[in-house]
C-alpha cells in the first residue's frame, strides 16, 4: 500500500481529517466559536435593515409577548437590566418600539413593538433562515435534527447547573 493522495486525506467537505478531529475538551471553544460565527453572519444580514446585534431577540420576544417590562425582557434574553435599558432606548429612538405605563399598575413601564417594529419581523425571520441555511450547509436533515437535539441537551444541562439549589 502506497501513500494516500491529497484527496484521500481529505473528508467530504474538503478539509483534512486532522482539522475535523475534535477532542472532548474542545467542546467549549468550538461551541463558543460556532455561536460567535452564527451571530456575526446574522448581525450582518440584519444590519442592512437597520437592526443591530441583539435587537432581533428583543423584537422576537415582544412579538411572542408584547408589553413586557425591561426586567422581564432582560431575564428572558439572559442579559443584565442596564444592557436591556440601553437597548430599549436605542430601539425606541429608531422607532421599533415604545414604552408605555402599565394600565393596571402605573408604577410599571412596559415595552411594546411599534408598526415599524412589526414590519421588521419578516426581515428577522429571513435573516435567521439564511444564517441557518449557511450554518448547516453540507449536513443532512437528520444530522441537523440530531445537532439540535444535542445542543438542547447541552443547554439544559448548563441551565440546570446555573439554577440556585
Amino acid at each position: 500500500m502506497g501513500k494516500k493522495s491529497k484527496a484521500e486525506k481529505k473528508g467530504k467537505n474538503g478539509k483534512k481529517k486532522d482539522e475535523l478531529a475534535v477532542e472532548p475538551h474542545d467542546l467549549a471553544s468550538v461551541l463558543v466559536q460556532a455561536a460567535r460565527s452564527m451571530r456575526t453572519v446574522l448581525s450582518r444580514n440584519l444590519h442592512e435593515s437597520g437592526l443591530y446585534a441583539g435587537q432581533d431577540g428583543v423584537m422576537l420576544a415582544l412579538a411572542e409577548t408584547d408589553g413586557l417590562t425591561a426586567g422581564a425582557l432582560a431575564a428572558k434574553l439572559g442579559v443584565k437590566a442596564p444592557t436591556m435599558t440601553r437597548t430599549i432606548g436605542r430601539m425606541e429612538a429608531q422607532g421599533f418600539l415604545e414604552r408605555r405605563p402599565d394600565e393596571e399598575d402605573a408604577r410599571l413601564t412596559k415595552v411594546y413593538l411599534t408598526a415599524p417594529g412589526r414590519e421588521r419581523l419578516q426581515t428577522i425571520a429571513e435573516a435567521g433562515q439564511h444564517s441557518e441555511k449557511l450554518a448547516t450547509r453540507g449536513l443532512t436533515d437528520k444530522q441537523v435534527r440530531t445537532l439540535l437535539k444535542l445542543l438542547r441537551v447541552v443547554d439544559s444541562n448548563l441551565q440546570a447547573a446555573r439554577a440556585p439549589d
Side-chain angles (χ1 to χ4, degrees):
M1 235 173 157
K3 286 178 125 182
K4 288 185 178 181
S5 70
K6 285 184 181 180
E8 291 174 317
K9 290 180 183 178
K10 292 185 178 186
K12 288 182 182 178
N13 65 0
K15 291 189 177 185
K16 290 181 184 176
K17 287 186 179 181
D18 290 348
E19 291 176 33
L20 297 175
V22 178
E23 298 297 322
H25 64 273
D26 292 336
L27 176 64
S29 62
V30 171
L31 194 56
V32 167
Q33 184 55 51
R36 282 185 183 142
S37 295
M38 183 74 157
R39 193 73 207 154
T40 298
V41 169
L42 184 59
S43 293
R44 194 176 313 128
N45 292 335
L46 290 171
H47 188 71
E48 295 170 9
S49 66
L51 294 166
Y52 296 94
Q55 291 182 335
D56 56 319
V58 174
M59 293 174 74
L60 291 172
L62 290 171
E64 188 179 299
T65 310
D66 210 10
L68 294 173
T69 64
L73 273 168
K76 186 169 188 150
L77 298 174
V79 298
K80 296 188 183 315
T83 301
M84 183 54 60
T85 301
R86 283 190 303 275
T87 300
I88 290 168
R90 181 179 200 172
M91 293 178 73
E92 192 172 32
Q94 290 172 283
F96 297 142
L97 43 92
E98 64 183 352
R99 292 181 251 208
R100 298 191 306 244
D102 184 55
E103 293 175 6
E104 295 173 11
D105 185 349
R107 297 172 295 175
L108 295 177
T109 299
K110 293 197 173 176
V111 182
Y112 297 86
L113 283 174
T114 60
R118 288 197 181 285
E119 291 169 9
R120 293 298 197 288
L121 294 174
Q122 182 62 34
T123 302
I124 292 169
E126 290 169 3
Q129 289 166 356
H130 175 74
S131 301
E132 288 174 13
K133 188 174 181 182
L134 185 61
T136 58
R137 188 173 51 201
L139 299 178
T140 66
D141 288 345
K142 184 178 180 181
Q143 288 173 321
V144 172
R145 285 191 303 273
T146 300
L147 176 61
L148 289 171
K149 252 192 240 181
L150 294 170
L151 288 171
R152 285 184 182 116
V153 170
V154 168
D155 185 46
S156 178
N157 290 342
L158 295 172
Q159 292 288 338
R162 236 179 43 174
D165 292 331

